[in-house]
Amino acid sequence: MGDLIYPQNTIAVLQKYKFNFQKKYGQNFLIEAHVMNKIIAASCVTKDSFVLEIGPGIGTMTQFLCESAKHVAAVEIDKNLIPILQDTLSSYGNVDIIHEDILKMDIEQLVMEKNEGKPIHVAANLPYYITTPIIMQLLESSVPIESITVMVQKEVADRMKAEPGTKEYGALSLAVQYYANPRIAANVPPNCFMPRPKVGSAVICLDCYKNPPVQVKNEKLMFHIIRASFNQRRKTLVNGLNNFSEIPLTKDQIQQGIEMAGLPANVRGETLSLLQFAKLSDCLYEMIPK
Ligand code: SAM
């Protein structure tokens, strides 16, 4: 299974096609079989699964996914990789190679057309320059997703999984944890890639919730509050939220909302859990003139 995972085979393909790595596309190809096996196991993909793979590269992970899933849609931005993928995946009948920018693609339509609108799995060794936009776009979209299993920078994986009060905790942690339960499946050193990235990596699996773990009256307001709280980490919550244009309340009203939510007057945003942000958001929402 998956012969490209061996470095000598990756090198042979790169030489055959005289492929030049494009730094601007975040191209670091995985060349370590035990890491690939961990990704596939963590993804919980089965023979019934439809998988969207973002950035297949030369098709290394795609080969493993084709063996494990019912169908794979592999979306690659670099046109020079398309003929290579057509070659390396030629023996699989259950893959669509799509030449597109994932951030511009209508994924919902793809899922309707190819999987009758049923939930999909996402798997990727992500291009690190757009990790957060890709993940947030997937989570905030109405695409039905069961899980997202991705290789990301270690530091980004730590932020997604971070708990209140830690230095890694921030808007990304709360956004991810509102939509999914994150679990880190593996830490991956630079020597598992060709070429080697400058930073350590990790495989993180986001098991998407059917319903968010907290109920909130106005999701958008809660995320504005979260953003405002972490924009100025050093400030107390009341000062962080004051003067933030999306929160049309006076300092006194914000202070009152903080007290109504049962929080200390001088609390800092970085210590609040998702549940506390939801409660605060509901208290402030009641005060905003509709
Ligand atoms: N999956 C391969 C592997 O594991 O060896 C390659 C992973 S490499 C880190 C990231 C891949 O994403 C590259 O093939 C790159 O060309 C592709 N890519 C970068 N930006 C993209 C975008 N906006 N849409 C789709 N693919 C993209």
Side-chain angles (χ1 to χ4, degrees), residues 72 83 107 240 274:
V72 181
I107 302 171
L274 179 59

Side-chain angles (χ1 to χ4, degrees), residues 25-30 36 53-58 60-61 75-78 81 100-103 125-127 129-130:
Y25 288 145
Q27 292 174 340
N28 301 95
F29 298 165
L30 195 54
M36 191 62 84
E53 188 195 359
I54 300 165
I58 59 169
T60 313
M61 190 190 293
V75 179
E76 175 56 59
I77 197 171
D78 185 351
L81 287 167
E100 260 284 16
D101 177 345
I102 193 69
L103 291 175
N125 170 13
L126 283 180
Y129 75 109
I130 44 169

Side-chain angles (χ1 to χ4, degrees), residues 8-197:
Q8 65 274 25
N9 295 343
T10 288
I11 290 167
V13 168
L14 299 176
Q15 284 176 346
K16 177 175 169 191
Y17 286 90
K18 299 188 171 51
F19 178 78
N20 290 315
F21 287 100
Q22 299 244 35
K23 223 174 166 183
K24 68 172 177 182
Y25 288 145
Q27 292 174 340
N28 301 95
F29 298 165
L30 195 54
I31 46 163
E32 191 54 63
H34 79 270
V35 175
M36 191 62 84
N37 288 327
K38 277 190 183 165
I39 297 175
I40 301 298
S43 72
C44 299
V45 163
T46 70
K47 282 284 178 200
D48 292 327
S49 308
F50 180 100
V51 184
L52 168 65
E53 188 195 359
I54 300 165
I58 59 169
T60 313
M61 190 190 293
T62 329
Q63 291 186 335
F64 279 73
L65 291 170
C66 285
E67 303 266 355
S68 313
K70 184 172 77 182
H71 198 88
V72 181
V75 179
E76 175 56 59
I77 197 171
D78 185 351
K79 68 173 184 335
N80 295 328
L81 287 167
I82 303 302
I84 303 182
L85 287 164
Q86 282 159 350
D87 179 3
T88 59
L89 302 174
S90 60
S91 59
Y92 297 98
N94 60 342
V95 59
D96 291 311
I97 301 161
I98 303 169
H99 178 212
E100 260 284 16
D101 177 345
I102 193 69
L103 291 175
K104 295 192 181 142
M105 204 175 133
D106 188 342
I107 302 171
E108 219 174 329
Q109 193 187 332
L110 174 86
V111 176
M112 276 316 285
E113 281 173 11
K114 300 276 179 188
N115 201 39
E116 300 162 351
K118 288 185 293 196
I120 63 163
H121 292 269
V122 177
N125 170 13
L126 283 180
Y128 292 170
Y129 75 109
I130 44 169
T131 298
T132 306
I134 291 176
I135 290 188
M136 288 319 300
Q137 183 170 313
L138 289 169
L139 291 174
E140 288 172 352
S141 74
S142 37
V143 177
I145 302 177
E146 256 181 81
S147 72
I148 302 174
T149 305
V150 281
M151 177 86 72
V152 297
Q153 275 183 50
K154 167 92 174 76
E155 173 240 316
V156 177
D158 290 341
R159 284 202 277 134
M160 287 190 213
K161 209 180 147 28
E163 309 264 343
T166 60
K167 71 175 191 326
E168 293 83 12
Y169 189 59
L172 180 66
S173 328
L174 285 150
V176 164
Q177 292 168 30
Y178 182 69
Y179 293 105
N181 178 39
R183 56 189 162 89
I184 293 182
N187 288 321
V188 186
N191 63 4
C192 295
F193 301 87
M194 186 188 295
R196 292 180 183 193

